[in-house]
Amino acid sequence: MKRFSRLIAAVLITAAVSALLSGCIGDPPEVYYSVPQATERFIQLQEKIDEVTSGGATFAPPAAGLNRQSVQLQDLDGDGSNEAIAFFKVQGEKPLRIYVFSENGGVFEQRTVIEGEGNSIDSITYTDMNHDGCKEILVGWRMGSSVKMLTMYSVLDYQPVELASSDYSAYTVTDIDRDGDNEAFVINKSETNEGTVTLYNLMNDGEMVSSSAYLSKDTGTVARLMRGRLTDDSSAVFIDSTRNDGGLVTDVFTLDGDGTLKNITLRSRSGASDATMRSASVYCSDINDDGRMDVPFPRTLYQQTETVYYVIDWYDFSSTGRRSLAMTTYHNYSDGWYLVIPESWGDNVTVRREDSLQGERTIVFSRLRSSKDGKETQVEDFLRIHTLTGDNKRELAGLSGRFRLLTRADAIFAAEILTDHGIEISEQFIRDNFRIIYSDWSTGAI
C-alpha cells in the first residue's frame, strides 16, 4: 500500500506543478503551498487495491525491464483512457496475479485477472502486435533462479487469451518487417549454451506465426540487445554475447525475402559469427549517428610501452552480411572521451599514456616512420589530449600551445598540436572529432 500511495503522490505533485505553470496568477498564494489532495477517482482506485490486499495479497511488481511499478497505467484498448494494472502475489497453485482495472465515469472496476505460475514476475511489456488498436501484454514469469517463461496475451474485451509461450533468456519488441506492428524477438539459451532466436508475429486474424534462427555456438550470456538498420536500410536486431573463451561476438538478425528470420553473420561451417568475434568487450553502437548500427572491431596498435593500446574500426553490415567501414576511433574509456581517426592518418599511428603529473592525464598520438634501411621504427609525437582534474586545471588548460576542447564541472579537456609530421590536423579538426563517451556504451546494459 505504501508503494501505491507514493504513486498517487507522484501523480498529484505532477498535477500541482502543471497548475503552477499554467499561469494561474490570480490565485491566492496559499493555494500554491497547500498539500495536494487525492482526487476522488484515485481514492476509489485505492479502495479497489485495498480489497485485493485485504485478502492476503502482497504487491509483486516486475523486477526487470522498463515497467517496474506496483501499479501501472496503460491504455490497453485504445479508447484514450488508461487502465490500471496492478501486480500481486497470493498463496496457491498460481500465486502471481495481474489485475486490470478500467475506469468508467470516474469509477474504477476490476475487469480481469491474469494468473501465472512461478516465483515472481520478471518483466512486462505492452505493445500492439497486429495493428488493431489494442495492446497485447507480454509477461515474463520467473520460474526459478535460471528459468524464465515469456507468455504473450491478448486482452481484447478484457478476456485474457494466451497467444504464445516460450522459455527465454532475453527479449525485445521491434517492428523488424516495418509493417507498423511490433513483433516479439525472443532469445532462448539452453543449459549447454546452444541458443536460438524466435520471432513471433501476430496476424490480423489472431494467429501467431513464428520463425527461428540460431545464435553463435559457444557463447555465454547475452550482454546487449540492440535494434538498428543495415546499409540497405532494412531493420535488424544486433545481439552482443559473451564468448566462453573471453571477449564478445555479435549476431545480426534480419528477414529474408519471404519474411523468415535469418542470422546474416553466422557461418555454417563453424556455427558462429566468426567475422564479428573480438577479444575486447566493446559493444555495438550507432557510432556516427547515421541510423545504422555499427559493429566494433578493435585493432591493436604498435606498442611503445608494455601497455597494449588499440583503435576501433566500426563496420556497417548489409542484409547479405557484407561489411563496410563506417568509422575508426580511439576510445579513452578511463577518462570518458574518444577521438574520430580519419582515414588519412592511415595505419601508421599509435598512442601512449602519460600520467606522471598530478591532476593531468595525457594521451599522446604519434606517427610511425621507418628508418632508411627499414630496420628501425621511429615514433614522432604530433598530438596530446589532456584530461585536467586538479585545482589548477584552468591554469593548465591555458598553457601556451594548448586549446580547450570541453569543460565539465569535474574536468577540462584540452589538446596540444606538437607538429603535423605530414598528418592532416588542425585545432578545428580536433574539436570537430573529439567526443564524450556515454556510459551505456561501456556497460553493455540491455
Side-chain angles (χ1 to χ4, degrees), residues 29 41 62 71 87 98 154 163 183 187 190 206 210 290 318 373 427:
R41 57 195 290 265
V71 179
F87 304 85
I98 302 175
S154 166
L163 300 172
E183 294 81 44
I187 303 170
S190 68
S210 63
D290 65 352
S318 71
D373 57 9
E427 289 189 15

Side-chain angles (χ1 to χ4, degrees), residues 385-399:
I385 295 182
H386 308 278
T387 302
L388 309 172
T389 58
D391 294 336
N392 61 338
K393 56 180 175 290
R394 295 184 182 277
E395 290 79 5
L396 292 175
L399 291 178

Side-chain angles (χ1 to χ4, degrees), residues 195 213-217 249-253 262-276 321:
Y214 288 105
L215 279 168
S216 288
K217 289 182 178 180
V249 61
T250 300
D251 290 296
V252 182
F253 294 86
K262 64 177 180 179
N263 185 341
I264 62 172
T265 53
L266 193 69
R267 298 296 175 258
S268 58
R269 178 174 296 181
S270 65
S273 294
D274 300 327
T276 65

